[in-house]
Amino acid sequence: MDSPLPAGRCVTVLLPSGVGLTAGAAGQILALARRRCGAPVWAGAAADVFSGRGGTLLILREVRCDARLAEYALPFIHKYFKD
């Protein structure tokens, strides 16, 4: 038996048959759903989309922003940005 995801790890949306969403609309639905349950809005999200005769199921999950600095960039940063 699979264990459920911890609360707040994903948001599911069921759309009626024939209804589609743009990426912007999906982001707004996600933000609204998170706000309504008192959870913070995510910085980024990815969606799994499953379509069938009865409608479309969206499973939205958080994508964390991750940035790294290349070593070759350090001299440029020191040159242009000073404390």
Side-chain angles (χ1 to χ4, degrees):
M1 179 169 165
D2 293 325
S3 59
L5 290 172
R9 294 275 310 267
C10 66
V11 172
T12 56
V13 177
L14 181 60
L15 300 173
S17 183
V19 174
L21 287 180
T22 64
Q28 288 193 353
I29 286 175
L30 173 62
L32 175 64
R34 304 265 316 149
R35 272 195 304 259
R36 289 183 85 188
C37 71
V41 176
W42 294 334
D48 294 316
V49 181
F50 303 94
S51 296
R53 283 185 297 171
T56 301
L57 175 66
L58 299 176
I59 300 176
L60 303 158
R61 64 189 183 288
E62 184 176 17
V63 175
R64 297 177 191 260
C65 181
D66 187 25
R68 292 193 167 83
L69 184 61
E71 288 186 28
Y72 68 83
L74 288 175
F76 297 104
I77 290 175
H78 291 298
K79 180 177 178 181
Y80 294 106
F81 299 99
K82 300 182 190 237
D83 291 335

